[in-house]
Amino acid sequence: MDDIGHKGNGSMRRKLCLCILLVLCLSLFGSYRAMEDIPCMQVSAAHAAADNVPRWPEMSGKVTKKSQKLGIDASNVQDGYIYAYAANKTKKRLKLRVSKGDVKLDYDLPGDGTAVVIPLQLGSGKYTLSLFENVKGSKYSQAGKMSMSVTLEDENSPFLVPNQYVDYDQYTEAVHRSQELCADVAGNDREIFDRVCKFMTSGFSYDFVRATTITAGTLPDIDYCWDASMGVCQDLSAVMVCMLRVQGLPARLMIGYADKQYHAWTVTVVNGKEEFFDPTVAVCKGMKIRKYATERYY
C-alpha cells in the first residue's frame, strides 16, 4: 500500500484498503444488482482499421424512430451503438431500459432532449427499448417502447466507441495521452496493452475521499480521474478502457463481484485473446481478490 501514499503498519494498511474499497464499491453499484447472467462476448481478432484511428459515434439522422416520448437515431447500429433521447422535453427523471433475451440494462436519459450514446453490447439480435418516466417517488410509468433487429459488422464493435459509461471525446486528455504513449507502436496490440497497463499502475492511485462521498448511481468520470490522478474502481477502469479503445483495441468496462463485493475492472481483446486487468488492484499493492463474477459490461 506504500504506493498510494499512506503511512503506518503495512498489514494494517492492506486490510484497511481492502475493507474500505470493496464496501464502498458495494454502495456505489448496489442499485444494479438485479441485472445478471449477461452472456460472454465472442472473442474476435478483428477490430478497428489498421491505421488505428479512433472511432467516434455519429448521429447522422439517416435512420430515426420515435415512440411516444422516446426517440432514437439508429443510423449506425451495425457499429454497435444507437443515440437515444427524450423526444419531448421534461423535467421528470427518465430511465431507458435496453433488453435482449433475458438481459435488461438500465440507463439514465436526460429530460432536456440531449442525445446519449447507448451501446449494443449484447451482440446481434432483437433488442427492445423501453422508456420509463418518473411519476412519483420511486414509481415510473412507460413512456415509449420499440423493438429493432441488430446485425453487428463485428461483435467487438460496441467496445471501440465511447458510450454513457465510458464517456470521452476528441478533447479528452486521456485520449491525447494514449496517442502520445502509443505513437510508435501503432498496430502492435500487445505492446499497446502492456504500455497502458504500466501507465495505469504508475500514474494513478485509489481515491478514498471520493469513495466516501460519491452517491449510488454515479457514472464513471474519466476527466475527474485524469485531473486528480486518482479515482474509484469504476473511474480507473473507464480511463484504461478509453485509452485502449482509441488505439483500436476492443476493451470492456466490467462490473460485477470481486469475491463477495461489487467492483469494476477491465477485459481487453489483444491479438484475438481476452486479457484481464484490474487497475484498482494494480494501484493498491498487496490487495488480493480470489474470484471475479461478471454481472454486466459496457
Side-chain angles (χ1 to χ4, degrees), residues 71-121:
I72 69 167
D73 185 311
S75 304
N76 299 285
V77 293
Q78 72 280 359
D79 294 322
Y81 67 89
I82 60 169
Y83 275 93
Y85 58 92
N88 302 100
K89 293 184 179 181
T90 178
K91 293 184 178 180
K92 295 181 179 180
R93 188 175 183 183
L94 300 175
K95 290 283 187 180
L96 177 68
R97 173 161 292 175
V98 179
S99 306
K100 180 175 178 286
D102 295 330
V103 180
K104 298 178 177 66
L105 298 170
D106 291 346
Y107 300 86
D108 289 324
L109 204 62
D112 62 2
T114 300
V116 176
V117 179
I118 303 296
L120 303 173
Q121 73 271 50

mmCIF file of all heavy atoms in Angstrom, residues 71-121:
data_model
loop_
_atom_site.group_PDB
_atom_site.id
_atom_site.type_symbol
_atom_site.label_atom_id
_atom_site.label_comp_id
_atom_site.label_asym_id
_atom_site.label_seq_id
_atom_site.Cartn_x
_atom_site.Cartn_y
_atom_site.Cartn_z
ATOM 1 N N GLY A 71 -37.086 8.846 -28.530
ATOM 2 C CA GLY A 71 -36.544 8.996 -29.875
ATOM 3 C C GLY A 71 -35.180 8.348 -29.957
ATOM 4 O O GLY A 71 -34.406 8.384 -28.992
ATOM 5 N N ILE A 72 -34.868 7.725 -31.099
ATOM 6 C CA ILE A 72 -33.540 7.146 -31.284
ATOM 7 C C ILE A 72 -33.029 7.442 -32.689
ATOM 8 O O ILE A 72 -33.814 7.639 -33.628
ATOM 9 C CB ILE A 72 -33.510 5.616 -31.047
ATOM 10 C CG1 ILE A 72 -34.273 4.878 -32.148
ATOM 11 C CG2 ILE A 72 -34.039 5.268 -29.668
ATOM 12 C CD1 ILE A 72 -34.011 3.389 -32.156
ATOM 13 N N ASP A 73 -31.724 7.504 -32.812
ATOM 14 C CA ASP A 73 -31.047 7.535 -34.100
ATOM 15 C C ASP A 73 -30.337 6.194 -34.243
ATOM 16 O O ASP A 73 -29.405 5.898 -33.499
ATOM 17 C CB ASP A 73 -30.046 8.693 -34.164
ATOM 18 C CG ASP A 73 -29.402 8.837 -35.540
ATOM 19 O OD1 ASP A 73 -28.927 7.807 -36.078
ATOM 20 O OD2 ASP A 73 -29.372 9.955 -36.066
ATOM 21 N N ALA A 74 -30.818 5.381 -35.184
ATOM 22 C CA ALA A 74 -30.286 4.029 -35.379
ATOM 23 C C ALA A 74 -29.492 3.927 -36.672
ATOM 24 O O ALA A 74 -29.434 2.874 -37.299
ATOM 25 C CB ALA A 74 -31.435 3.021 -35.383
ATOM 26 N N SER A 75 -28.856 5.027 -37.058
ATOM 27 C CA SER A 75 -28.138 5.058 -38.334
ATOM 28 C C SER A 75 -26.908 4.168 -38.345
ATOM 29 O O SER A 75 -26.420 3.791 -39.415
ATOM 30 C CB SER A 75 -27.726 6.503 -38.657
ATOM 31 O OG SER A 75 -28.843 7.364 -38.674
ATOM 32 N N ASN A 76 -26.383 3.841 -37.167
ATOM 33 C CA ASN A 76 -25.124 3.104 -37.107
ATOM 34 C C ASN A 76 -25.201 1.880 -36.196
ATOM 35 O O ASN A 76 -24.224 1.546 -35.514
ATOM 36 C CB ASN A 76 -23.999 4.038 -36.633
ATOM 37 C CG ASN A 76 -23.789 5.209 -37.572
ATOM 38 O OD1 ASN A 76 -23.224 5.055 -38.643
ATOM 39 N ND2 ASN A 76 -24.246 6.381 -37.171
ATOM 40 N N VAL A 77 -26.335 1.196 -36.220
ATOM 41 C CA VAL A 77 -26.469 0.020 -35.355
ATOM 42 C C VAL A 77 -25.444 -1.053 -35.702
ATOM 43 O O VAL A 77 -25.005 -1.817 -34.828
ATOM 44 C CB VAL A 77 -27.894 -0.569 -35.429
ATOM 45 C CG1 VAL A 77 -28.902 0.386 -34.826
ATOM 46 C CG2 VAL A 77 -28.261 -0.933 -36.865
ATOM 47 N N GLN A 78 -25.032 -1.121 -36.954
ATOM 48 C CA GLN A 78 -24.050 -2.129 -37.352
ATOM 49 C C GLN A 78 -22.703 -1.899 -36.672
ATOM 50 O O GLN A 78 -21.886 -2.812 -36.563
ATOM 51 C CB GLN A 78 -23.868 -2.138 -38.881
ATOM 52 C CG GLN A 78 -23.125 -0.947 -39.454
ATOM 53 C CD GLN A 78 -23.978 0.301 -39.616
ATOM 54 O OE1 GLN A 78 -25.180 0.277 -39.315
ATOM 55 N NE2 GLN A 78 -23.394 1.374 -40.114
ATOM 56 N N ASP A 79 -22.478 -0.688 -36.187
ATOM 57 C CA ASP A 79 -21.236 -0.357 -35.490
ATOM 58 C C ASP A 79 -21.368 -0.469 -33.978
ATOM 59 O O ASP A 79 -20.456 -0.084 -33.237
ATOM 60 C CB ASP A 79 -20.785 1.057 -35.869
ATOM 61 C CG ASP A 79 -20.397 1.162 -37.333
ATOM 62 O OD1 ASP A 79 -19.797 0.202 -37.850
ATOM 63 O OD2 ASP A 79 -20.701 2.198 -37.958
ATOM 64 N N GLY A 80 -22.524 -0.974 -33.509
ATOM 65 C CA GLY A 80 -22.640 -1.313 -32.102
ATOM 66 C C GLY A 80 -23.179 -0.247 -31.179
ATOM 67 O O GLY A 80 -22.964 -0.324 -29.966
ATOM 68 N N TYR A 81 -23.909 0.739 -31.713
ATOM 69 C CA TYR A 81 -24.476 1.756 -30.832
ATOM 70 C C TYR A 81 -25.667 2.440 -31.483
ATOM 71 O O TYR A 81 -25.873 2.371 -32.695
ATOM 72 C CB TYR A 81 -23.418 2.818 -30.476
ATOM 73 C CG TYR A 81 -22.969 3.666 -31.655
ATOM 74 C CD1 TYR A 81 -23.633 4.844 -31.985
ATOM 75 C CD2 TYR A 81 -21.884 3.285 -32.441
ATOM 76 C CE1 TYR A 81 -23.238 5.617 -33.062
ATOM 77 C CE2 TYR A 81 -21.478 4.045 -33.521
ATOM 78 C CZ TYR A 81 -22.155 5.223 -33.828
ATOM 79 O OH TYR A 81 -21.760 5.981 -34.906
ATOM 80 N N ILE A 82 -26.467 3.091 -30.637
ATOM 81 C CA ILE A 82 -27.521 3.989 -31.072
ATOM 82 C C ILE A 82 -27.404 5.277 -30.267
ATOM 83 O O ILE A 82 -26.690 5.328 -29.262
ATOM 84 C CB ILE A 82 -28.928 3.391 -30.851
ATOM 85 C CG1 ILE A 82 -29.151 3.106 -29.358
ATOM 86 C CG2 ILE A 82 -29.137 2.149 -31.705
ATOM 87 C CD1 ILE A 82 -30.578 2.761 -29.001
ATOM 88 N N TYR A 83 -28.097 6.308 -30.722
ATOM 89 C CA TYR A 83 -28.314 7.503 -29.908
ATOM 90 C C TYR A 83 -29.755 7.452 -29.412
ATOM 91 O O TYR A 83 -30.673 7.171 -30.187
ATOM 92 C CB TYR A 83 -28.120 8.775 -30.720
ATOM 93 C CG TYR A 83 -26.695 9.255 -30.820
ATOM 94 C CD1 TYR A 83 -25.879 8.875 -31.879
ATOM 95 C CD2 TYR A 83 -26.164 10.116 -29.856
ATOM 96 C CE1 TYR A 83 -24.578 9.328 -31.987
ATOM 97 C CE2 TYR A 83 -24.859 10.577 -29.949
ATOM 98 C CZ TYR A 83 -24.075 10.178 -31.016
ATOM 99 O OH TYR A 83 -22.786 10.629 -31.109
ATOM 100 N N ALA A 84 -29.970 7.714 -28.135
ATOM 101 C CA ALA A 84 -31.312 7.769 -27.570
ATOM 102 C C ALA A 84 -31.527 9.141 -26.937
ATOM 103 O O ALA A 84 -30.600 9.737 -26.389
ATOM 104 C CB ALA A 84 -31.506 6.673 -26.528
ATOM 105 N N TYR A 85 -32.752 9.644 -27.019
ATOM 106 C CA TYR A 85 -33.046 10.971 -26.479
ATOM 107 C C TYR A 85 -34.529 11.090 -26.156
ATOM 108 O O TYR A 85 -35.362 10.292 -26.630
ATOM 109 C CB TYR A 85 -32.641 12.060 -27.469
ATOM 110 C CG TYR A 85 -33.309 11.950 -28.825
ATOM 111 C CD1 TYR A 85 -34.505 12.616 -29.106
ATOM 112 C CD2 TYR A 85 -32.739 11.166 -29.826
ATOM 113 C CE1 TYR A 85 -35.112 12.506 -30.342
ATOM 114 C CE2 TYR A 85 -33.345 11.045 -31.076
ATOM 115 C CZ TYR A 85 -34.530 11.728 -31.324
ATOM 116 O OH TYR A 85 -35.133 11.607 -32.553
ATOM 117 N N ALA A 86 -34.861 12.068 -25.318
ATOM 118 C CA ALA A 86 -36.247 12.359 -24.985
ATOM 119 C C ALA A 86 -36.844 13.178 -26.124
ATOM 120 O O ALA A 86 -36.419 14.309 -26.377
ATOM 121 C CB ALA A 86 -36.335 13.127 -23.675
ATOM 122 N N ALA A 87 -37.821 12.608 -26.828
ATOM 123 C CA ALA A 87 -38.434 13.304 -27.963
ATOM 124 C C ALA A 87 -39.249 14.506 -27.504
ATOM 125 O O ALA A 87 -39.429 15.461 -28.265
ATOM 126 C CB ALA A 87 -39.310 12.332 -28.742
ATOM 127 N N ASN A 88 -39.730 14.463 -26.259
ATOM 128 C CA ASN A 88 -40.448 15.587 -25.654
ATOM 129 C C ASN A 88 -39.742 15.963 -24.366
ATOM 130 O O ASN A 88 -39.593 15.133 -23.473
ATOM 131 C CB ASN A 88 -41.892 15.208 -25.350
ATOM 132 C CG ASN A 88 -42.656 14.758 -26.586
ATOM 133 O OD1 ASN A 88 -42.823 13.566 -26.819
ATOM 134 N ND2 ASN A 88 -43.092 15.709 -27.382
ATOM 135 N N LYS A 89 -39.281 17.195 -24.271
ATOM 136 C CA LYS A 89 -38.532 17.622 -23.098
ATOM 137 C C LYS A 89 -39.393 17.546 -21.843
ATOM 138 O O LYS A 89 -40.587 17.816 -21.864
ATOM 139 C CB LYS A 89 -38.016 19.048 -23.293
ATOM 140 C CG LYS A 89 -36.960 19.179 -24.389
ATOM 141 C CD LYS A 89 -36.430 20.590 -24.475
ATOM 142 C CE LYS A 89 -35.366 20.692 -25.553
ATOM 143 N NZ LYS A 89 -34.816 22.078 -25.644
ATOM 144 N N THR A 90 -38.748 17.174 -20.759
ATOM 145 C CA THR A 90 -39.444 17.046 -19.484
ATOM 146 C C THR A 90 -38.463 17.287 -18.336
ATOM 147 O O THR A 90 -37.253 17.104 -18.490
ATOM 148 C CB THR A 90 -40.072 15.642 -19.337
ATOM 149 O OG1 THR A 90 -40.708 15.548 -18.062
ATOM 150 C CG2 THR A 90 -39.009 14.556 -19.433
ATOM 151 N N LYS A 91 -38.990 17.676 -17.199
ATOM 152 C CA LYS A 91 -38.175 17.847 -16.002
ATOM 153 C C LYS A 91 -38.205 16.593 -15.132
ATOM 154 O O LYS A 91 -37.520 16.520 -14.113
ATOM 155 C CB LYS A 91 -38.662 19.052 -15.199
ATOM 156 C CG LYS A 91 -38.431 20.387 -15.905
ATOM 157 C CD LYS A 91 -38.850 21.555 -15.019
ATOM 158 C CE LYS A 91 -38.572 22.882 -15.710
ATOM 159 N NZ LYS A 91 -38.969 24.037 -14.862
ATOM 160 N N LYS A 92 -38.984 15.613 -15.565
ATOM 161 C CA LYS A 92 -39.078 14.366 -14.817
ATOM 162 C C LYS A 92 -37.886 13.463 -15.144
ATOM 163 O O LYS A 92 -37.327 13.518 -16.238
ATOM 164 C CB LYS A 92 -40.383 13.652 -15.153
ATOM 165 C CG LYS A 92 -41.622 14.414 -14.721
ATOM 166 C CD LYS A 92 -42.881 13.645 -15.054
ATOM 167 C CE LYS A 92 -44.126 14.400 -14.598
ATOM 168 N NZ LYS A 92 -45.374 13.650 -14.932
ATOM 169 N N ARG A 93 -37.538 12.610 -14.209
ATOM 170 C CA ARG A 93 -36.433 11.685 -14.408
ATOM 171 C C ARG A 93 -36.845 10.586 -15.380
ATOM 172 O O ARG A 93 -37.949 10.042 -15.299
ATOM 173 C CB ARG A 93 -35.998 11.062 -13.080
ATOM 174 C CG ARG A 93 -34.728 10.234 -13.182
ATOM 175 C CD ARG A 93 -34.274 9.742 -11.828
ATOM 176 N NE ARG A 93 -33.025 9.017 -11.937
ATOM 177 C CZ ARG A 93 -32.425 8.426 -10.908
ATOM 178 N NH1 ARG A 93 -32.965 8.477 -9.700
ATOM 179 N NH2 ARG A 93 -31.281 7.792 -11.088
ATOM 180 N N LEU A 94 -35.936 10.250 -16.305
ATOM 181 C CA LEU A 94 -36.206 9.246 -17.322
ATOM 182 C C LEU A 94 -35.221 8.089 -17.219
ATOM 183 O O LEU A 94 -34.039 8.292 -16.931
ATOM 184 C CB LEU A 94 -36.112 9.858 -18.725
ATOM 185 C CG LEU A 94 -37.062 11.007 -19.048
ATOM 186 C CD1 LEU A 94 -36.747 11.562 -20.438
ATOM 187 C CD2 LEU A 94 -38.515 10.559 -18.968
ATOM 188 N N LYS A 95 -35.717 6.881 -17.467
ATOM 189 C CA LYS A 95 -34.881 5.688 -17.498
ATOM 190 C C LYS A 95 -35.110 4.964 -18.822
ATOM 191 O O LYS A 95 -36.252 4.759 -19.233
ATOM 192 C CB LYS A 95 -35.231 4.733 -16.351
ATOM 193 C CG LYS A 95 -34.835 5.227 -14.978
ATOM 194 C CD LYS A 95 -33.354 5.078 -14.720
ATOM 195 C CE LYS A 95 -32.998 5.413 -13.287
ATOM 196 N NZ LYS A 95 -31.540 5.259 -13.037
ATOM 197 N N LEU A 96 -34.039 4.594 -19.493
ATOM 198 C CA LEU A 96 -34.128 3.800 -20.701
ATOM 199 C C LEU A 96 -33.702 2.378 -20.386
ATOM 200 O O LEU A 96 -32.602 2.154 -19.886
ATOM 201 C CB LEU A 96 -33.216 4.361 -21.798
ATOM 202 C CG LEU A 96 -33.187 3.557 -23.095
ATOM 203 C CD1 LEU A 96 -34.523 3.635 -23.820
ATOM 204 C CD2 LEU A 96 -32.054 4.037 -24.009
ATOM 205 N N ARG A 97 -34.565 1.430 -20.677
ATOM 206 C CA ARG A 97 -34.238 0.017 -20.462
ATOM 207 C C ARG A 97 -33.954 -0.631 -21.817
ATOM 208 O O ARG A 97 -34.787 -0.594 -22.736
ATOM 209 C CB ARG A 97 -35.363 -0.718 -19.755
ATOM 210 C CG ARG A 97 -35.155 -2.221 -19.661
ATOM 211 C CD ARG A 97 -36.018 -2.838 -18.582
ATOM 212 N NE ARG A 97 -35.583 -2.403 -17.254
ATOM 213 C CZ ARG A 97 -36.224 -2.721 -16.134
ATOM 214 N NH1 ARG A 97 -37.335 -3.438 -16.172
ATOM 215 N NH2 ARG A 97 -35.757 -2.302 -14.967
ATOM 216 N N VAL A 98 -32.779 -1.235 -21.944
ATOM 217 C CA VAL A 98 -32.384 -1.957 -23.155
ATOM 218 C C VAL A 98 -32.420 -3.441 -22.829
ATOM 219 O O VAL A 98 -31.714 -3.904 -21.932
ATOM 220 C CB VAL A 98 -30.974 -1.537 -23.619
ATOM 221 C CG1 VAL A 98 -30.566 -2.316 -24.861
ATOM 222 C CG2 VAL A 98 -30.934 -0.032 -23.891
ATOM 223 N N SER A 99 -33.241 -4.185 -23.561
ATOM 224 C CA SER A 99 -33.427 -5.611 -23.279
ATOM 225 C C SER A 99 -33.095 -6.444 -24.504
ATOM 226 O O SER A 99 -33.368 -6.060 -25.641
ATOM 227 C CB SER A 99 -34.877 -5.895 -22.865
ATOM 228 O OG SER A 99 -35.283 -5.074 -21.803
ATOM 229 N N LYS A 100 -32.494 -7.592 -24.249
ATOM 230 C CA LYS A 100 -32.254 -8.590 -25.291
ATOM 231 C C LYS A 100 -32.322 -9.956 -24.616
ATOM 232 O O LYS A 100 -31.518 -10.261 -23.729
ATOM 233 C CB LYS A 100 -30.909 -8.402 -25.975
ATOM 234 C CG LYS A 100 -30.616 -9.418 -27.082
ATOM 235 C CD LYS A 100 -29.301 -9.080 -27.787
ATOM 236 C CE LYS A 100 -28.974 -10.104 -28.856
ATOM 237 N NZ LYS A 100 -28.520 -11.392 -28.274
ATOM 238 N N GLY A 101 -33.291 -10.761 -24.998
ATOM 239 C CA GLY A 101 -33.491 -12.018 -24.296
ATOM 240 C C GLY A 101 -33.875 -11.751 -22.855
ATOM 241 O O GLY A 101 -34.761 -10.927 -22.574
ATOM 242 N N ASP A 102 -33.194 -12.388 -21.929
ATOM 243 C CA ASP A 102 -33.495 -12.219 -20.502
ATOM 244 C C ASP A 102 -32.684 -11.111 -19.847
ATOM 245 O O ASP A 102 -32.839 -10.845 -18.652
ATOM 246 C CB ASP A 102 -33.231 -13.531 -19.754
ATOM 247 C CG ASP A 102 -34.164 -14.651 -20.188
ATOM 248 O OD1 ASP A 102 -35.304 -14.338 -20.578
ATOM 249 O OD2 ASP A 102 -33.747 -15.829 -20.143
ATOM 250 N N VAL A 103 -31.799 -10.461 -20.619
ATOM 251 C CA VAL A 103 -30.920 -9.441 -20.046
ATOM 252 C C VAL A 103 -31.551 -8.064 -20.181
ATOM 253 O O VAL A 103 -32.035 -7.682 -21.249
ATOM 254 C CB VAL A 103 -29.544 -9.452 -20.738
ATOM 255 C CG1 VAL A 103 -28.639 -8.388 -20.130
ATOM 256 C CG2 VAL A 103 -28.914 -10.827 -20.611
ATOM 257 N N LYS A 104 -31.545 -7.297 -19.094
ATOM 258 C CA LYS A 104 -32.086 -5.943 -19.079
ATOM 259 C C LYS A 104 -31.045 -5.004 -18.492
ATOM 260 O O LYS A 104 -30.514 -5.243 -17.409
ATOM 261 C CB LYS A 104 -33.369 -5.881 -18.255
ATOM 262 C CG LYS A 104 -34.506 -6.746 -18.787
ATOM 263 C CD LYS A 104 -35.713 -6.654 -17.873
ATOM 264 C CE LYS A 104 -36.897 -7.448 -18.429
ATOM 265 N NZ LYS A 104 -36.606 -8.902 -18.449
ATOM 266 N N LEU A 105 -30.756 -3.919 -19.209
ATOM 267 C CA LEU A 105 -29.800 -2.921 -18.752
ATOM 268 C C LEU A 105 -30.479 -1.561 -18.731
ATOM 269 O O LEU A 105 -31.128 -1.168 -19.712
ATOM 270 C CB LEU A 105 -28.576 -2.879 -19.681
ATOM 271 C CG LEU A 105 -27.754 -4.168 -19.767
ATOM 272 C CD1 LEU A 105 -26.735 -4.081 -20.885
ATOM 273 C CD2 LEU A 105 -27.059 -4.445 -18.440
ATOM 274 N N ASP A 106 -30.327 -0.824 -17.635
ATOM 275 C CA ASP A 106 -30.973 0.475 -17.478
ATOM 276 C C ASP A 106 -29.972 1.616 -17.603
ATOM 277 O O ASP A 106 -28.842 1.531 -17.108
ATOM 278 C CB ASP A 106 -31.670 0.572 -16.119
ATOM 279 C CG ASP A 106 -32.884 -0.341 -16.036
ATOM 280 O OD1 ASP A 106 -33.354 -0.841 -17.076
ATOM 281 O OD2 ASP A 106 -33.342 -0.567 -14.904
ATOM 282 N N TYR A 107 -30.421 2.698 -18.233
ATOM 283 C CA TYR A 107 -29.609 3.898 -18.413
ATOM 284 C C TYR A 107 -30.418 5.128 -18.032
ATOM 285 O O TYR A 107 -31.634 5.167 -18.242
ATOM 286 C CB TYR A 107 -29.160 4.046 -19.868
ATOM 287 C CG TYR A 107 -28.322 2.910 -20.402
ATOM 288 C CD1 TYR A 107 -28.924 1.776 -20.941
ATOM 289 C CD2 TYR A 107 -26.932 2.967 -20.361
ATOM 290 C CE1 TYR A 107 -28.159 0.722 -21.431
ATOM 291 C CE2 TYR A 107 -26.161 1.924 -20.850
ATOM 292 C CZ TYR A 107 -26.784 0.803 -21.383
ATOM 293 O OH TYR A 107 -26.027 -0.231 -21.864
ATOM 294 N N ASP A 108 -29.748 6.141 -17.497
ATOM 295 C CA ASP A 108 -30.395 7.435 -17.292
ATOM 296 C C ASP A 108 -30.455 8.162 -18.626
ATOM 297 O O ASP A 108 -29.507 8.123 -19.419
ATOM 298 C CB ASP A 108 -29.608 8.281 -16.292
ATOM 299 C CG ASP A 108 -29.722 7.753 -14.873
ATOM 300 O OD1 ASP A 108 -30.802 7.254 -14.517
ATOM 301 O OD2 ASP A 108 -28.722 7.836 -14.129
ATOM 302 N N LEU A 109 -31.576 8.842 -18.882
ATOM 303 C CA LEU A 109 -31.734 9.613 -20.110
ATOM 304 C C LEU A 109 -32.084 11.047 -19.730
ATOM 305 O O LEU A 109 -33.041 11.266 -18.971
ATOM 306 C CB LEU A 109 -32.851 9.008 -20.967
ATOM 307 C CG LEU A 109 -32.798 9.283 -22.467
ATOM 308 C CD1 LEU A 109 -31.530 8.694 -23.074
ATOM 309 C CD2 LEU A 109 -34.026 8.711 -23.160
ATOM 310 N N PRO A 110 -31.329 12.032 -20.206
ATOM 311 C CA PRO A 110 -31.625 13.429 -19.852
ATOM 312 C C PRO A 110 -33.004 13.847 -20.343
ATOM 313 O O PRO A 110 -33.424 13.482 -21.448
ATOM 314 C CB PRO A 110 -30.525 14.216 -20.585
ATOM 315 C CG PRO A 110 -29.444 13.216 -20.855
ATOM 316 C CD PRO A 110 -30.137 11.912 -21.060
ATOM 317 N N GLY A 111 -33.692 14.630 -19.545
ATOM 318 C CA GLY A 111 -35.015 15.079 -19.933
ATOM 319 C C GLY A 111 -35.012 16.266 -20.872
ATOM 320 O O GLY A 111 -36.058 16.648 -21.415
ATOM 321 N N ASP A 112 -33.827 16.873 -21.081
ATOM 322 C CA ASP A 112 -33.759 18.070 -21.923
ATOM 323 C C ASP A 112 -33.592 17.767 -23.401
ATOM 324 O O ASP A 112 -33.409 18.678 -24.218
ATOM 325 C CB ASP A 112 -32.616 18.978 -21.460
ATOM 326 C CG ASP A 112 -31.239 18.315 -21.575
ATOM 327 O OD1 ASP A 112 -31.165 17.157 -22.047
ATOM 328 O OD2 ASP A 112 -30.239 18.949 -21.177
ATOM 329 N N GLY A 113 -33.633 16.492 -23.764
ATOM 330 C CA GLY A 113 -33.521 16.127 -25.170
ATOM 331 C C GLY A 113 -32.108 15.827 -25.639
ATOM 332 O O GLY A 113 -31.905 15.484 -26.805
ATOM 333 N N THR A 114 -31.128 15.938 -24.743
ATOM 334 C CA THR A 114 -29.748 15.614 -25.113
ATOM 335 C C THR A 114 -29.642 14.144 -25.504
ATOM 336 O O THR A 114 -30.115 13.267 -24.785
ATOM 337 C CB THR A 114 -28.794 15.892 -23.942
ATOM 338 O OG1 THR A 114 -28.877 17.275 -23.588
ATOM 339 C CG2 THR A 114 -27.358 15.539 -24.321
ATOM 340 N N ALA A 115 -29.009 13.883 -26.646
ATOM 341 C CA ALA A 115 -28.867 12.510 -27.133
ATOM 342 C C ALA A 115 -27.693 11.829 -26.440
ATOM 343 O O ALA A 115 -26.630 12.429 -26.253
ATOM 344 C CB ALA A 115 -28.659 12.503 -28.639
ATOM 345 N N VAL A 116 -27.890 10.581 -26.060
ATOM 346 C CA VAL A 116 -26.888 9.796 -25.334
ATOM 347 C C VAL A 116 -26.523 8.563 -26.147
ATOM 348 O O VAL A 116 -27.401 7.904 -26.716
ATOM 349 C CB VAL A 116 -27.439 9.373 -23.958
ATOM 350 C CG1 VAL A 116 -26.452 8.465 -23.234
ATOM 351 C CG2 VAL A 116 -27.760 10.599 -23.102
ATOM 352 N N VAL A 117 -25.214 8.242 -26.207
ATOM 353 C CA VAL A 117 -24.764 7.036 -26.904
ATOM 354 C C VAL A 117 -25.044 5.820 -26.033
ATOM 355 O O VAL A 117 -24.569 5.736 -24.899
ATOM 356 C CB VAL A 117 -23.262 7.103 -27.243
ATOM 357 C CG1 VAL A 117 -22.828 5.815 -27.946
ATOM 358 C CG2 VAL A 117 -22.966 8.303 -28.127
ATOM 359 N N ILE A 118 -25.815 4.885 -26.564
ATOM 360 C CA ILE A 118 -26.156 3.655 -25.855
ATOM 361 C C ILE A 118 -25.533 2.477 -26.599
ATOM 362 O O ILE A 118 -25.792 2.279 -27.789
ATOM 363 C CB ILE A 118 -27.685 3.459 -25.776
ATOM 364 C CG1 ILE A 118 -28.350 4.666 -25.090
ATOM 365 C CG2 ILE A 118 -28.031 2.166 -25.068
ATOM 366 C CD1 ILE A 118 -27.956 4.866 -23.648
ATOM 367 N N PRO A 119 -24.701 1.674 -25.944
ATOM 368 C CA PRO A 119 -24.043 0.555 -26.629
ATOM 369 C C PRO A 119 -24.995 -0.617 -26.853
ATOM 370 O O PRO A 119 -25.919 -0.840 -26.066
ATOM 371 C CB PRO A 119 -22.923 0.169 -25.654
ATOM 372 C CG PRO A 119 -23.473 0.525 -24.307
ATOM 373 C CD PRO A 119 -24.289 1.773 -24.524
ATOM 374 N N LEU A 120 -24.734 -1.358 -27.922
ATOM 375 C CA LEU A 120 -25.466 -2.593 -28.208
ATOM 376 C C LEU A 120 -24.538 -3.761 -27.911
ATOM 377 O O LEU A 120 -24.213 -4.579 -28.776
ATOM 378 C CB LEU A 120 -25.934 -2.595 -29.669
ATOM 379 C CG LEU A 120 -26.810 -1.400 -30.060
ATOM 380 C CD1 LEU A 120 -27.071 -1.399 -31.553
ATOM 381 C CD2 LEU A 120 -28.114 -1.394 -29.274
ATOM 382 N N GLN A 121 -24.099 -3.819 -26.655
ATOM 383 C CA GLN A 121 -23.041 -4.741 -26.263
ATOM 384 C C GLN A 121 -23.499 -6.179 -26.100
ATOM 385 O O GLN A 121 -22.687 -7.068 -25.832
ATOM 386 C CB GLN A 121 -22.353 -4.261 -24.976
ATOM 387 C CG GLN A 121 -23.158 -4.427 -23.700
ATOM 388 C CD GLN A 121 -24.039 -3.240 -23.394
ATOM 389 O OE1 GLN A 121 -24.770 -2.779 -24.240
ATOM 390 N NE2 GLN A 121 -23.964 -2.738 -22.159
#
